[in-house]
Amino acid sequence: MLNDTTATDFTVFPSYTLKPVPPLLPWLSDFHLSLLLPVAAYWFMSLLFYYIDKKDYFSQYRLHTPEEFKQRNLVTVAEVLRSVLFQQAIQIALGLFLGWALVAGDSYGRDDYDVAVWAGRVRKARSAVPWILSVVGIDATTLGRQLQLHTTSFGNSGSSKVAVSLVESILHPHLSDGLTYGFATWEIWTAKLIYWLLEPAARFGIAIMFSDSWQYFWHRAMHSNKWMYRNMHAHHHKMYIPYAFGAFYNTLTEAFLLDTVGTTLSLMLSGLTIRQTICFSTISVLKGVDDHCGYRLPWDPLQWLGEQDTRFHDVHHQAWGIKSNYSQLYTTFWDHICGTVCDKSEEEIARLYEKGRLMAREKAAVVEKKDE
């Protein structure tokens, strides 16, 4: 019978040959796609909401009236369009430079090797099980033998035998049949679960948390420091009534600091592949546009992700909510931790929104009389 040490000695890590991942589009590299697809998604989403707005669809879900859009914003649509297009051109140019300097293409061919590496880590973690059991006064060897001897006491059903076999294989993997690369079947399946599901999920989680943290603290700093607000962020708050294609209406300094630097660092720290980067960047852009769309749509999946939705961010754009709700994109974690969630009741918020609608209506009436 092999002991654990001998079993470990007989593990074999498969050889591999790395090959470049073929591009998703034969005429465009995945890296260039990661720069262009978020821009395309931005304008697709923006045009979709522009169409909805012009056709006056779903007006019952609008946060603001057309009169508010015309009377309260301090920047024209043409200025916003020029600014966003120029900013995106600069960001693509910076992305090309950073990609040339930092990014290597994705490769494939070592999946089996990486699964075996994770299986080795699982085995090392498994070695802690007997110690954990001993802490509560259970001897792992005795437990394994008792389970083996008393299998019949659990009945003869297949499920009970599988359960006993699983416990035994975890306690003593060298007793298991069906070794792959020297690892038990359960170790390989656990490693595959980690490699194909849990590890990518963790990478996305790291990217989201870092990005949200970066955005929150810089955003809050720009509201706390008068110089930073006046020179870097007040530009964006010329839109009291946000709309979809104004989501990236920022100064170049803010865009570089919050978006370019923040996204680059989050991708580097999380270790996302280029294709995972395409997903993350595109979803982030869609979420940013959706947060500024001005519609609280109950069937919008991007507004199902949590408290951070269109209304949450819209409150921040109002004069009475500008010192709250600093979180952007995915979570409101830091707003809750730091106590900066808008503390007004739902009734008071509804009253303030209605007050804004009435003021815009009255202003529009005054302008109409002057034009007559």
Side-chain angles (χ1 to χ4, degrees):
M1 182 182 294
L2 298 175
N3 58 33
D4 285 30
T5 305
T6 309
T8 303
D9 292 340
F10 277 95
T11 56
V12 178
F13 290 89
S15 59
Y16 61 88
T17 301
L18 291 178
K19 299 178 182 179
V21 175
L24 290 169
L25 301 175
W27 43 271
L28 186 68
S29 73
D30 283 353
F31 168 69
H32 290 93
L33 184 63
S34 73
L35 297 178
L36 296 177
L37 187 59
V39 175
Y42 184 94
W43 291 109
F44 172 80
M45 191 78 159
S46 296
L47 288 172
L48 176 62
F49 278 110
Y50 178 79
Y51 179 79
I52 290 172
D53 185 61
K54 288 302 178 183
K55 292 294 184 179
D56 200 27
Y57 294 145
F58 316 120
S59 58
Q60 68 272 32
Y61 299 121
R62 294 182 73 138
L63 295 175
H64 300 282
T65 62
E67 289 85 1
E68 287 182 278
F69 176 82
K70 293 176 182 178
Q71 301 299 327
R72 295 182 58 197
N73 280 344
L74 305 178
V75 61
T76 67
V77 171
E79 289 175 308
V80 171
L81 285 172
R82 286 196 299 268
S83 177
V84 172
L85 286 170
F86 182 65
Q87 175 191 318
Q88 289 178 332
I90 296 296
Q91 287 180 322
I92 289 174
L94 285 172
L96 288 170
F97 171 75
L98 291 172
W100 171 78
L102 302 173
V103 177
D106 287 344
S107 58
Y108 74 99
R110 57 176 288 170
D111 293 334
D112 289 343
Y113 177 86
D114 288 334
V115 168
V117 169
W118 272 112
R121 294 168 180 165
V122 169
R123 175 163 293 186
K124 288 180 180 179
R126 195 279 319 163
S127 65
V129 173
W131 179 83
I132 294 172
L133 292 174
S134 69
V135 171
V136 294
I138 299 174
D139 180 71
T141 303
T142 303
L143 175 62
R145 288 172 181 168
Q146 288 177 343
L147 288 172
Q148 208 169 26
L149 291 171
H150 295 88
T151 302
T152 55
S153 66
F154 292 93
N156 294 319
S157 66
S159 59
S160 63
K161 290 182 179 180
V162 168
V164 173
S165 176
L166 179 61
V167 173
E168 180 65 19
S169 65
I170 292 174
L171 294 175
H172 304 288
H174 56 277
L175 299 178
S176 303
D177 295 327
L179 297 179
T180 303
Y181 305 128
F183 295 104
T185 302
W186 75 269
E187 291 173 323
I188 292 295
W189 278 106
T190 303
K192 286 181 177 179
L193 175 66
I194 294 171
Y195 179 72
W196 291 109
L197 182 62
L198 300 184
E199 183 182 352
R203 291 183 186 278
F204 276 102
I206 291 170
I208 288 170
M209 287 307 300
F210 180 86
S211 178
D212 274 12
S213 300
W214 183 270
Q215 293 269 344
Y216 174 86
F217 286 105
W218 276 111
H219 188 193
R220 184 175 178 180
M222 289 178 186
H223 279 276
S224 301
N225 183 287
K226 292 182 179 179
W227 184 91
M228 290 178 69
Y229 183 79
R230 184 173 60 255
N231 292 281
M232 297 172 66
H233 191 53
H235 199 68
H236 185 70
H237 279 279
K238 290 179 180 179
M239 294 188 304
Y240 283 98
I241 311 302
Y243 47 94
F245 58 83
F248 283 6
Y249 177 65
N250 302 308
T251 60
L252 287 178
T253 306
E254 179 180 356
F256 175 76
L257 184 60
L258 266 69
D259 298 328
T260 304
V261 175
T263 300
T264 301
L265 290 176
S266 66
L267 297 178
M268 291 176 66
L269 288 172
S270 62
L272 292 177
T273 66
I274 293 178
R275 290 194 177 175
Q276 289 169 345
T277 295
I278 292 173
C279 293
F280 177 74
S281 299
T282 303
I283 293 172
S284 295
V285 165
L286 291 174
K287 185 69 170 63
V289 173
D290 194 80
D291 284 351
H292 290 81
C293 72
Y295 288 84
R296 201 177 193 186
L297 303 172
W299 35 263
D300 183 349
L302 290 171
Q303 298 187 30
W304 299 345
L305 298 178
E307 185 182 15
Q308 171 64 52
D309 62 3
T310 305
R311 215 289 292 273
F312 186 90
H313 188 69
D314 192 87
V315 166
H316 174 72
H317 272 265
Q318 308 311 306
W320 45 267
I322 199 169
K323 290 294 185 180
S324 62
N325 292 18
Y326 298 116
S327 295
Q328 299 190 107
L329 288 189
Y330 291 104
T331 73
T332 58
F333 175 81
W334 287 113
D335 266 321
H336 284 284
I337 292 296
C338 299
T340 51
V341 176
C342 181
D343 58 1
K344 292 177 171 53
S345 66
E346 287 294 323
E347 292 76 14
E348 187 176 3
I349 290 175
R351 183 181 61 78
L352 289 167
Y353 269 113
E354 184 59 30
K355 181 180 178 181
R357 297 185 189 103
L358 291 173
M359 289 176 63
R361 198 176 304 151
E362 291 171 359
K363 188 174 180 180
V366 171
V367 171
E368 188 176 344
K369 285 184 179 179
K370 286 183 179 180
D371 293 339
E372 288 178 351

